[in-house]
């Protein structure tokens, strides 16, 4: 039980998990592959932490510069 509590304190929110997922995929991830809710994605876009881009091969969620 202690290890789960420690893990929870390290990961502050689902927003952070989503950002970590994108970072682990080189700074962008195909939008259809992201398993986070639309609310989380929209919150990150609203906070200008990520943006959606159309590469011609699909839509990607990318970290903002």
């Amino acid at each position: 039980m202690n290890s789960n509590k420690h893990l929870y304190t390290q990961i502050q929110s689902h927003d952070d998990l989503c950002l970590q997922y994108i970072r682990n995929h080189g700074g962008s991830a195909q939008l259809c592959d992201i398993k986070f809710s639309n609310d989380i994605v929209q919150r990150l876009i609203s906070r200008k932490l990520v943006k959606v881009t159309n590469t011609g091969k699909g839509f990607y969620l990318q970290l903002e510069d």
Side-chain angles (χ1 to χ4, degrees):
M1 184 74 174
N2 251 352
S3 63
N4 287 341
K5 185 177 181 182
H6 179 68
L7 178 63
Y8 179 77
T9 57
Q10 286 181 338
I11 300 169
Q12 295 177 359
S13 70
H14 289 205
D15 294 6
D16 293 334
L17 282 173
C18 187
L19 287 171
Q20 182 180 10
Y21 176 85
I22 296 167
R23 282 188 201 104
N24 289 341
H25 285 86
S28 69
Q30 196 163 15
L31 198 53
C32 66
D33 291 337
I34 294 178
K35 304 298 182 213
F36 295 92
S37 73
N38 292 340
D39 290 339
I40 292 170
V41 172
Q42 185 60 54
R43 217 171 18 246
L44 294 175
I45 292 169
S46 296
R47 292 172 52 199
K48 298 183 189 244
L49 297 173
V50 298
K51 61 184 173 185
V52 176
T53 57
N54 183 354
T55 64
K57 296 181 181 179
F59 290 91
Y60 283 79
L61 197 60
Q62 294 182 314
L63 295 174
E64 285 281 356
D65 297 327

